[in-house]
Amino acid sequence: MYEYINGLITNIYPAYLVIADRSGVGYKLFVANPYRFEQNVESHVYVEQIVRENEMTLYGFIDENEKYLFNKLLNVSGIGPKSALAILASDDAAGLVTAVANDDASYLTQFPGVGKKTAQQIVLDLKGKLDDLALSAGMTVETVPTTDNQSLADALAALESLGYTAKDVAKLQTVLANQKDTTDGYIRSALKFLVK
C-alpha cells in the first residue's frame, strides 16, 4: 500500500524509528538498523506494510535495494520479517548476494537465527533471483572480463540489460571473443548460442 514516507524522524529506538509526515501523523517503522538514520532530520524512507491476522506492521528501509532484498528474503521458507531484518542489519548485501550466487550456505549461517538448514533454503530459494539487485546496486558478484572490442562490450551490456546473468554473459564473452562482428551481429550470435 505504501511505497515510501517523507517526513521528520522524531524518535529512534533500538528496533524501530518514528517518522512524522507533514500532516502530523507519526509512523512506527521497524528497521534493520535504526541508527543509520538521523533524528530530527527530514528523511525519505521506503516502507513495506505487512498485514497479519492480528497486526499491521510497517517496515522501513534506507533505499529501494534494501526493500527489494527484504521482500526476496520473505519469499524464503522459514524467513519472516524479523529474521529478514536481522539479516539486513549486517549491512552486507553484497556478501549475501555473492553467497547465494556461489552456493555458500556456510557464509549465511553467520546471520542471527539462520542455521544450516535455513541457510541452505535461502540459497535454494534465491539462487538466480538476486541478479537484478546486484546489477542495480553496482555489486560485482561474478566479474565479466573487460574487452577492448567496443562492439562486443556493447553487445554484452545489452544482453545484461535483457536480463541475462553475469555468469551467462561471461561465458558468451569467451565464446564470442575470437569473432569480429558488429554489435548487432554479436547479439544475434549470442542469442543463438543461448537458445541451444
Side-chain angles (χ1 to χ4, degrees), residues 44 76 99:
H44 182 87
V76 174

Side-chain angles (χ1 to χ4, degrees), residues 33-106:
N33 180 357
Y35 300 105
R36 289 188 294 169
F37 297 90
E38 292 184 50
Q39 191 166 339
N40 298 321
V41 172
E42 286 283 328
S43 298
H44 182 87
V45 182
Y46 289 88
V47 295
E48 184 68 35
Q49 182 179 20
I50 306 283
V51 179
R52 298 266 165 89
E53 261 182 47
N54 56 354
E55 68 177 315
M56 286 189 345
T57 310
L58 289 173
Y59 294 89
F61 310 97
I62 202 138
D63 59 28
E64 288 178 289
N65 289 329
E66 188 178 53
K67 179 179 176 178
Y68 176 85
L69 188 52
F70 175 81
N71 283 311
K72 288 294 183 185
L73 286 167
L74 290 182
N75 291 327
V76 174
S77 177
I79 299 285
K82 289 182 182 178
S83 296
L85 282 184
I87 292 169
L88 294 174
S90 72
D91 202 24
D92 186 19
L96 173 65
V97 172
T98 302
V100 169
N102 295 325
D103 296 323
D104 187 4
S106 62

